[in-house]
Amino acid sequence: MSLDRVKHIVLVLSGKGGVGKSSITTQLALSLSLSGRSVGVLDIDLTGPSIPRLFNIESAKVTQAPGGWIPVPVHPANHEQSIGELRCMSLGFLLRERGDAVVWRGPKKTAMVRQFLNEVLWGDLDYLLVDTPPGTSDEHISLAETLLKQARPGQVAGAVVVTTPQAVATADVKKELNFCVKTGIHVLGVVENMSGFVCPHCSECTNVFSSGGGKIMAQEFGVRFLGSVPIDPQFITLVEEGRRPVYPVGTEVAGKELGHEATNGDGVEDKAEGVSDESLLVEKYKSCSLCPIFEGITRTVVEGIERTPNGGA
């Protein structure tokens, strides 16, 4: 299997659509890379592949090699800055046009998921994140069956389950937690996404959709609560337009002071809005309000995996 040289496999799951699994996967990948680990992202949301757009590499094409596909590079490793390499694979790279619809029945979806798991040449990776579609249907069953049958003991570290605070979301996400129980997938923890809104015009972070639903659900199921993630329009600007995030003076998120006079984490003053910045996505992400939040989430996930015998399984 092409996953033989992958140390840890982490699934990103949710029983509900529209909760932001792909953005959570993207930021987990960036955060792991910033911690010096080599990362791969496998997008198996076959009918709605978002990963190429979030990494701003939609125009990239997959290279065919003897034995399989070579994943698309996002950025190389930079050992001086302790940044690990990041690569990804998605059906989005195989479509002729971005707007092409994927109209497949269950058996073809199942075959595609198995092909991704068996024929993508990842090479040496510390972490492989698998971005999944909502629900508990064909892709999930194929993924679980293939991994649990072919992966070596402890290689599948577990799942990060994503929800939003509202009861209508947690009611569906509970089904995903039950899916993990039935398939024997260890739950690494729950992330509550869209918990608050970071205003781009003032220094407030407001709970638009309430908050706390994900934490209550995690307590109910006896799993770790990894943290709450607010909506930040600056993150969308970063991935869509490549602009480094800039915040009003006095903005504070997760205990970190942000603003025009703040630095990007390396002691380098952030560039003003509108100024051309050719830095890598991973470097500009350090200026985002969500970066320190995911630094904490990633640290908790990694500690739970690497301190546990058999890699967290």
Side-chain angles (χ1 to χ4, degrees), residues 64-248:
Q64 186 78 34
W69 289 316
I70 298 176
V72 174
V74 178
H75 62 251
N78 185 328
H79 300 296
E80 292 182 359
Q81 297 185 29
S82 297
I83 295 176
E85 68 172 329
L86 175 56
R87 293 171 283 163
C88 62
M89 181 64 190
S90 170
L91 185 64
F93 297 128
L94 305 177
L95 300 176
R96 289 185 180 179
E97 301 290 339
R98 185 171 75 185
D100 287 352
V102 178
V103 187
W104 290 352
R105 296 185 185 275
K108 192 163 186 179
K109 289 183 179 180
T110 297
M112 188 77 253
V113 171
R114 289 177 178 165
Q115 190 172 1
F116 273 159
L117 291 173
N118 286 291
E119 297 184 17
V120 179
L121 306 176
W122 293 106
D124 294 318
L125 274 187
D126 292 320
Y127 283 88
L128 176 65
L129 306 181
V130 183
D131 185 36
T132 66
T136 55
S137 57
D138 297 294
E139 295 96 326
H140 301 78
I141 295 169
S142 177
L143 176 68
E145 286 181 346
T146 303
L147 288 178
L148 296 175
K149 183 184 299 183
Q150 299 185 20
R152 62 181 181 272
Q155 189 179 23
V156 181
V160 171
V161 178
V162 183
T163 187
T164 52
Q166 312 97 306
V168 69
T170 57
D172 285 341
V173 178
K174 288 177 182 178
K175 299 172 185 176
E176 197 74 40
L177 290 170
N178 285 320
F179 171 83
C180 291
V181 172
K182 290 181 179 180
T183 55
I185 297 173
H186 173 63
V187 177
L188 295 166
V190 171
V191 173
E192 182 180 275
N193 199 20
M194 306 183 192
S195 182
F197 172 76
V198 181
C199 181
H201 305 296
C202 70
S203 60
E204 294 294 323
C205 183
T206 307
N207 290 326
V208 179
F209 300 122
S210 75
S211 64
K215 187 172 185 178
I216 293 171
M217 182 185 70
Q219 292 172 343
E220 181 181 336
F221 278 81
V223 298
R224 182 184 288 113
F225 180 68
L226 296 172
S228 299
V229 180
I231 301 169
D232 184 359
Q234 294 288 343
F235 174 71
I236 304 303
T237 301
L238 170 63
V239 298
E240 291 281 355
E241 302 176 21
R243 287 192 298 171
R244 187 184 293 272
V246 178
Y247 300 91

Side-chain angles (χ1 to χ4, degrees), residues 287-305:
S287 299
C288 183
S289 72
L290 305 182
C291 184
I293 296 175
F294 274 89
E295 182 181 351
I297 291 173
T298 300
R299 187 186 307 114
T300 302
V301 169
V302 168
E303 288 176 353
I305 294 173

